[in-house]
Amino acid sequence: MNDYLLDIENLQVQYVTDDGTVSAVNGIDIKLQKGKTLGLVGETGAGKTTTAMSILRLVPHPPGKIIGGTIRLDDTDIFNISEKEMERMRGNIVSMIFQDPMTALNPVITVGDQIAEAIMIHQKLNQEKANKKAEEMLELVGIPGNRRNDYPHQFSGGMKQRVIIAIALSCSPKLLIADEPTTALDVTIQAQVLELMKELKTKYEMSMILITHDLGVVAEVCDDVAIMYAGRIVEKGSLQDIFLTTKHPYTEGLFNSIPNIDNRKAELKPIKGLMSDPYNLPTGCSFADRCDYVMPICREKSPQKIFFSENHYTECHLYATDIDFKLGRHQE
Amino acid sequence: MLDKSKKRSQSADVWRRLRKSKAAIAGLILIAIFILVALFAPLLADYNEQAIKINVKERFQPPSQDHLFGTDEFGRDIFARIVYGTRISLFVGVISVSIALSIGGFLGAIAGYYGGRLDNAIMRVLDVLLAIPTILLAITIVAALGASIVNLMIAVGISNIPGFARVVRASVLSVKDQEFIEAAKAIGAKDHTIILKHVLPNSMAPIIVFSTLKVATAIMATSSLSFIGLGIKPPTPEWGGMLAGGRNYIRDHMYIVMYPGMAIVLAVLSLNLIGDGLRDALDPKLK
Amino acid sequence: MSEILLEVKNLKKYFDTPKGKLHAVDDVNFSIEKGKTLGIVGESGCGKSTTGRVILRLLEATGGEVLYKGRNILSIDKNEMRELRKEMQIIFQDPFSSLDPRMSVSQIIEEPIKLNKLIVNKEDRYNRVLELMDLVGLSRRLINTYPHELDGGRRQRIGIARALALNTEFIVCDEPVSALDVSIQAQILNLMKSLQKQLGLTYIFITHDLSVVNHFSDDIAVMYLGKIVEKAPSEELFTHPVHPYTQALLSAIPRPSLDKRSEKIILKGEITSPINPKANCRFSNRCNYAEDICRETEPSLKEISPGHFVACHLFDGSK
């Protein structure tokens, strides 16, 4: 028995296609406590969504294949249970919100029925009770309950995302995975939805994994942050660790790439080059080609985790010999 | 997404995927055989001596060394007639589809690209044509124009125009709202340049598939019209006509109808296999 | 005093929809000096992209004037417009759909030169393509590749090269970086900035991303439902936003830092579409300060301090 709701160890996922094998996730470890929110940050192709799909055991197969590691969710090793048991966990223990609210709802079923359906499947309630619960869920996410007989096209983008959140929360999951939940929304609507998610998280004492590329959103919502690059977590720590004592050059690069809204004269310092070819990852550190601090050893050996505190670590050779190494970026 | 410096064009991609489908390869081999037979017909049989000339002494010969597929009621060699019939069937099939494609494609492209009233006018007229069954329309046209190879091609061609117009219009519609069309406008391209250089090349996939399938139906239509006596006039060898001529003897001399029938089935089947294979190979989602 | 390159007066674009007239762009006015950048910000459906397209006549305006170098381009004929397109270009949001998938990199960049017969000699044209590729930082070895083989950042560079292939002076940039990853986004923004300095370009920069627009623009116009609600130099707009909508918009940006946590202004409701709008303030139903006058009459754009315009009844008088 441990106090982690989610415990991922050395997860490895590959996609085998005609053009070769893509190593989407290359051995990552995530431990998430009850009630905490983890931000999973990275760019396209970093392996964020694959990680999430692995937790739900929904990696499309073929071409995807989990080739190693374990995931313990609520003290159950999910790679060792039947599909039926897994189905019971989805919704009840873990639930997911997807990026695009426009396509995640069935256009020919009323929103109330879509929420009620999720409730009936998982909670064995009768139609009447499920309908009532659906109405409550709608109210909970800030939509008048009398709109439960409306169809998805009668809702705007922000309201659809609220409906999706209502569905995801209808069975009170212990872990909610949100994959870029606000990327498709406008800023003012994004602010509304984030506010709602924060509120619900506290109310239900849920754990949450928030997948995003937006460090601004992370700063708003998360307790812990994991930065992913080319299928590995290159730096992980508390929000303060990542934002105030940035260690990995890639994390630093991400911060320097964002226009500073309070200082419009500040120059952007983009990360040079492109993400390495996922079909053919280089030996050593995958970030070496884009790194400003690259050393010969970076191209030879994969870096090991180096811990700065119990919770904060990075995978970078810079700290192997000198743990007090300082990156160029200084906090404002 | 890959940064491969080697050039890989889209047609090479399509071929690579097409090769993976066994059915499509079988279809390609079959159709290649038909094309070779049509091209080298004189090497396989003598047109005047074997395919046309009436030879009463040799009537109803079963298949043998001399007559591979036997002879018909006039003593003509069925193998020779099928060989020369291949020429007609493929020719009529391809030409009538070309007619339908060029006229239907033109109408569909301008209807789709310009939209609005022009679109409405063109498509409503074609809808009326579409309401009449293809074969009935073809029969009417041939009946009006008189039976000949040219008229047959025109009839089959015209009756397929609405279908082509619809397919082309639909794929033009899906392409024309993409930003690269706007980009072309922004650099000062004229409408016809945009349609010819950007819209049509990008709407080719469904058109190619549809054309392949339509050649097959055109071969069927040609044979059907010949069967009811509205197509190719005897003694010119044509598969449908051969079926029609042989149907009175089907009880005693089945081979007279069996071989031309098989030729039609194989030609249509091979084109359908290729069409289906192309549809999968051209679908970028399967990449 | 620098000259005005583009001036937009009372620009209107209405669309006919089954529900009525959609006022996508309604009486928009602004001007841009040569070599400067005007940012147009707003949420989806506010008419910012339509404004950009109407200026380039990719859509025909319903009314108003677009003066480019003093000449109203909405009233000139097709051939004259084609001539002008050599100077006025556009960069699109989606580097996936804005490039013809059947054309190679060289064909795409070469097309505008060929179409406008700027360089007739084939070899010279090829060299010009190489020159443009160098200019936007595309490696020469990519010249024969196809868009689907490249990543978003490189595709966007192709789009920029195409826009620069003519004698370009003015570019409408329609969300040029919103489809890109942050690290690539910064590369493209820096490229566009240096090109502007190098070639003296004038930009209209359309985006929903306020931090990007602040970094990139000299002046910013905030649009809401087809109207400009506030317009000011960037510095001024970000330090002294006065329109309630601008304030809410600015406070809603998630900031990637732990200090300076400002209280968020959460707006009620959502943007609706401006179909047959009433003559009132279009923001009044979501505004936290709305008074009766806001729901009854339409505010006009007024200058409250030099260069700072706002359309809000709260600032009509001495308030």
Side-chain angles (χ1 to χ4, degrees):
Chain A
M1 189 66 200
N2 60 40
D3 50 345
Y4 293 114
L5 176 70
L6 174 73
D7 188 351
I8 302 181
E9 265 175 34
N10 196 25
L11 179 71
Q12 295 165 42
V13 186
Q14 288 188 340
Y15 291 101
V16 182
T17 70
D18 291 345
D19 297 320
T21 303
V22 180
S23 307
V25 177
N26 297 315
I28 61 165
D29 306 310
I30 293 176
K31 284 183 167 58
L32 184 62
Q33 284 169 319
K34 291 188 178 103
K36 292 279 187 187
T37 297
L38 171 74
L40 206 52
V41 182
E43 297 179 88
T44 317
K48 297 167 292 179
T49 303
T50 305
T51 306
M53 293 309 239
S54 307
I55 300 171
L56 286 154
R57 234 174 76 181
L58 284 176
V59 174
H61 173 69
K65 207 173 162 208
I66 294 170
I67 58 164
T70 53
I71 296 182
R72 294 186 68 82
L73 183 60
D74 200 29
D75 282 317
T76 312
D77 181 349
I78 63 159
F79 294 154
N80 270 330
I81 57 175
S82 69
E83 183 55 34
K84 224 179 159 147
E85 287 168 290
M86 190 63 220
E87 267 170 27
R88 214 167 312 142
M89 295 197 81
R90 291 184 204 127
N92 279 334
I93 308 289
V94 56
S95 203
M96 184 153 173
I97 302 174
F98 295 92
Q99 172 171 0
D100 189 358
M102 308 303 158
T103 54
L105 291 172
N106 185 336
V108 296
I109 301 179
T110 63
V111 293
D113 285 354
Q114 296 194 47
I115 301 172
E117 191 189 351
I119 297 170
M120 283 195 300
I121 292 173
H122 291 288
Q123 300 194 336
K124 312 236 161 32
L125 291 178
N126 63 24
Q127 181 86 47
E128 201 180 324
K129 278 192 182 142
N131 282 344
K132 200 156 173 284
K133 179 95 195 279
E135 211 169 307
E136 281 167 25
M137 291 309 297
L138 276 178
E139 299 272 2
L140 184 73
V141 294
I143 297 174
N146 58 18
R147 292 202 66 183
R148 85 188 147 80
N149 289 325
D150 285 359
Y151 288 90
H153 72 263
Q154 290 164 294
F155 285 66
S156 63
M159 288 171 80
K160 277 186 204 154
Q161 196 61 296
R162 285 166 190 263
V163 172
I164 290 165
I165 293 173
I167 294 176
L169 297 186
S170 59
C171 303
S172 329
K174 294 182 180 169
L175 172 65
L176 178 68
I177 302 174
D179 189 356
E180 305 262 7
T182 56
T183 309
L185 305 176
D186 282 318
V187 249
T188 58
I189 311 301
Q190 166 170 293
Q192 293 174 353
V193 171
L194 287 179
E195 200 61 36
L196 172 74
M197 287 175 67
K198 272 194 277 188
E199 202 184 294
L200 293 176
K201 191 184 82 184
T202 333
K203 193 164 173 183
Y204 282 84
E205 293 174 341
M206 259 186 323
S207 303
M208 188 157 92
I209 294 182
L210 179 75
I211 298 175
T212 181
H213 64 274
D214 189 335
L215 286 164
V217 173
V218 168
E220 302 263 326
V221 193
C222 299
D223 304 307
D224 290 322
V225 186
I227 310 281
M228 279 190 86
Y229 186 81
R232 292 198 64 89
I233 292 179
V234 294
E235 182 168 2
K236 183 168 178 289
S238 69
L239 192 61
Q240 284 74 17
D241 291 336
I242 300 291
F243 278 68
L244 302 179
T245 53
T246 310
K247 294 295 184 187
H248 198 280
Y250 176 63
T251 317
E252 181 192 40
L254 282 181
F255 278 109
N256 285 341
S257 298
I258 309 170
N260 185 343
I261 200 151
D262 300 310
N263 177 11
R264 54 184 300 268
K265 295 275 152 36
E267 210 175 309
L268 296 184
K269 288 191 220 73
I271 304 170
K272 63 186 176 190
L274 304 162
M275 177 97 94
S276 3
D277 180 357
Y279 288 95
N280 188 15
L281 289 177
T283 41
C285 173
S286 330
F287 188 62
D289 284 339
R290 304 179 70 183
C291 184
D292 288 332
Y293 308 93
V294 65
M295 305 179 290
I297 188 174
C298 302
R299 301 190 196 275
E300 288 155 21
K301 254 175 66 189
S302 293
Q304 299 293 311
K305 284 197 186 82
I306 292 170
F307 285 85
F308 302 96
S309 67
E310 200 189 332
N311 191 22
H312 185 197
Y313 69 79
T314 187
E315 290 186 345
C316 180
H317 287 301
L318 288 172
Y319 305 94
T321 47
D322 173 15
I323 197 131
D324 292 323
F325 182 83
K326 289 266 187 301
L327 294 176
R329 173 181 192 255
H330 294 291
Q331 300 304 313
E332 69 266 42
Chain B
M1 246 24 97
L2 289 182
D3 171 27
K4 282 185 189 149
S5 42
K6 81 166 188 253
K7 180 174 169 175
R8 200 169 75 183
S9 72
Q10 292 212 320
S11 49
D13 251 8
V14 169
W15 172 236
R16 189 174 54 88
R17 281 189 300 251
L18 188 64
R19 251 186 348 211
K20 266 191 261 156
S21 151
K22 288 197 183 76
I25 291 298
L28 277 175
I29 292 172
L30 262 175
I31 206 70
I33 293 173
F34 275 112
I35 291 171
L36 287 175
V37 164
L39 285 176
F40 298 109
L43 297 180
L44 297 171
D46 186 304
Y47 185 70
N48 287 324
E49 281 302 310
Q50 292 175 287
I52 298 287
K53 195 168 155 200
I54 294 174
N55 189 346
V56 188
K57 260 189 279 173
E58 306 252 329
R59 296 175 71 198
F60 300 126
Q61 295 278 322
S64 67
Q65 289 250 298
D66 289 344
H67 304 287
L68 219 46
F69 293 168
T71 59
D72 65 6
E73 71 274 27
F74 298 110
R76 295 174 299 201
D77 184 73
I78 293 178
F79 177 72
R81 288 177 65 74
I82 287 180
V83 165
Y84 283 98
T86 309
R87 284 188 158 184
I88 304 230
S89 292
L90 289 188
F91 188 63
V92 175
V94 169
I95 296 295
S96 54
V97 164
S98 309
I99 294 172
L101 177 61
S102 40
I103 300 176
F106 174 76
L107 291 174
I110 59 170
Y113 185 76
Y114 290 104
R117 260 182 232 159
L118 184 69
D119 180 23
N120 254 326
I122 293 176
M123 293 323 285
R124 291 304 79 77
V125 171
L126 292 177
D127 279 351
V128 173
L129 275 184
L130 201 62
I132 310 168
T134 316
I135 193 76
L136 207 63
L137 186 60
I139 291 173
T140 321
I141 298 170
V142 175
L145 296 176
S148 75
I149 292 196
V150 176
N151 291 346
L152 184 69
M153 293 188 293
I154 293 175
V156 176
I158 290 178
S159 59
N160 277 317
I161 286 176
F164 274 94
R166 291 211 149 253
V167 170
V168 173
R169 175 175 172 272
S171 51
V172 165
L173 280 181
S174 71
V175 173
K176 82 159 182 181
D177 282 333
Q178 296 206 40
E179 282 183 340
F180 65 86
I181 302 297
E182 244 183 335
K185 269 185 217 161
I187 56 172
K190 295 176 185 157
D191 281 351
H192 64 91
T193 324
I194 294 177
I195 295 180
L196 289 177
K197 269 193 74 182
H198 296 287
V199 178
L200 283 180
N202 282 292
S203 20
M204 274 336 273
I207 300 174
I208 291 174
V209 174
F210 191 70
S211 304
T212 322
L213 299 174
K214 274 297 161 187
V215 172
T217 31
I219 290 177
M220 289 263 277
T222 315
S223 296
S224 312
L225 287 174
S226 302
F227 185 84
I228 56 174
L230 281 172
I232 316 290
K233 286 285 172 220
T236 313
E238 201 282 338
W239 298 341
M242 290 167 73
L243 272 185
R247 71 182 188 278
N248 296 329
Y249 315 101
I250 193 165
R251 217 182 261 186
D252 302 320
H253 310 285
M254 213 188 39
Y255 52 88
I256 298 185
V257 291
M258 196 171 82
Y259 291 109
M262 267 170 58
I264 297 175
V265 168
L266 286 180
V268 170
L269 179 70
S270 63
L271 285 163
N272 277 319
L273 290 178
I274 297 171
D276 282 347
L278 274 174
R279 173 171 17 232
D280 294 343
L282 288 167
D283 188 350
K285 271 177 252 143
L286 295 170
K287 221 178 243 179
Chain C
M1 189 66 209
S2 42
E3 58 180 303
I4 297 224
L5 184 80
L6 184 96
E7 194 172 1
V8 170
K9 284 186 183 165
N10 305 76
L11 191 66
K12 293 190 185 76
K13 174 68 188 173
Y14 301 163
F15 292 102
D16 281 319
T17 70
K19 287 182 199 155
K21 281 231 182 305
L22 185 131
H23 295 221
V25 179
D26 209 352
D27 222 353
V28 162
N29 295 282
F30 57 77
S31 60
I32 312 167
E33 285 172 24
K34 198 169 160 45
K36 298 277 178 173
T37 302
L38 171 75
I40 302 185
V41 222
E43 298 180 277
S44 42
C46 74
K48 54 190 194 302
S49 288
T50 310
T51 307
R53 280 166 169 74
V54 169
I55 290 171
L56 293 178
R57 277 184 69 180
L58 293 173
L59 288 172
E60 291 300 330
T62 309
E65 288 175 28
V66 175
L67 302 171
Y68 179 76
K69 293 184 175 167
R71 186 158 133 205
N72 183 9
I73 63 169
L74 296 187
S75 62
I76 60 179
D77 71 20
K78 263 191 171 174
N79 288 325
E80 285 174 296
M81 190 59 216
R82 204 167 287 131
E83 231 9 74
L84 262 185
R85 291 201 190 283
K86 291 181 194 165
E87 297 177 17
M88 310 174 76
Q89 278 301 312
I90 179 164
I91 299 171
F92 294 92
Q93 167 177 13
D94 186 352
F96 294 81
S97 82
S98 64
L99 304 175
D100 189 333
R102 294 197 175 254
M103 291 168 80
S104 68
V105 173
S106 66
Q107 285 171 323
I108 292 170
I109 301 178
E110 178 188 55
E111 195 189 14
I113 309 174
K114 227 168 148 180
L115 273 177
N116 291 290
K117 303 196 178 68
L118 288 188
I119 302 172
V120 189
N121 182 313
K122 212 173 162 189
E123 203 173 311
D124 293 348
R125 206 158 57 209
Y126 184 77
N127 288 330
R128 171 75 178 141
V129 169
L130 289 179
E131 201 181 296
L132 284 162
M133 288 178 75
D134 293 345
L135 188 66
V136 299
L138 273 172
S139 154
R140 287 185 172 202
R141 72 189 162 84
L142 299 174
I143 191 157
N144 284 322
T145 51
Y146 285 80
H148 71 271
E149 298 171 273
L150 304 174
D151 62 283
R154 284 193 178 131
R155 288 187 226 212
Q156 201 55 289
R157 286 174 198 267
I158 301 173
I160 296 173
R162 171 175 61 191
L164 295 175
L166 302 167
N167 312 315
T168 314
E169 294 180 31
F170 168 73
I171 303 182
V172 172
C173 314
D174 187 7
E175 305 253 15
V177 295
S178 16
L180 306 174
D181 277 321
V182 261
S183 72
I184 308 298
Q185 177 174 322
Q187 292 177 358
I188 298 293
L189 287 174
N190 279 355
L191 169 70
M192 290 176 63
K193 263 204 146 157
S194 81
L195 288 172
Q196 178 168 39
K197 261 192 220 132
Q198 221 175 318
L199 307 171
L201 300 171
T202 308
Y203 289 140
I204 285 188
F205 194 92
I206 298 168
T207 183
H208 68 276
D209 187 332
L210 286 137
S211 34
V212 168
V213 81
N214 179 32
H215 173 78
F216 205 83
S217 313
D218 300 295
D219 294 288
I220 297 176
V222 180
M223 280 186 82
Y224 188 80
L225 290 181
K227 294 265 184 196
I228 290 183
V229 294
E230 185 162 6
K231 195 178 71 175
S234 307
E235 191 85 52
E236 166 77 9
L237 189 90
F238 274 75
T239 44
H240 303 111
V242 292
H243 197 284
Y245 177 65
T246 316
Q247 288 176 350
L249 208 54
L250 288 181
S251 85
I253 312 170
R255 285 160 200 249
S257 76
L258 299 184
D259 36 352
K260 298 182 197 151
R261 298 266 82 163
S262 56
E263 200 46 45
K264 284 214 170 343
I265 306 171
I266 303 280
L267 288 177
K268 11 173 215 204
E270 294 197 13
I271 204 161
T272 44
S273 55
I275 292 172
N276 299 336
K278 276 182 271 178
N280 60 5
C281 174
R282 289 184 189 178
F283 185 62
S284 56
N285 60 341
R286 291 177 76 193
C287 184
N288 294 329
Y289 310 100
E291 294 168 5
D292 285 344
I293 182 169
C294 305
R295 285 179 272 269
E296 281 150 19
T297 48
E298 198 173 328
S300 57
L301 209 56
K302 291 205 176 73
E303 192 162 12
I304 54 161
S305 63
H308 192 159
F309 296 83
V310 63
C312 179
H313 288 304
L314 298 174
F315 299 92
D316 266 357
S318 50
K319 289 184 205 171

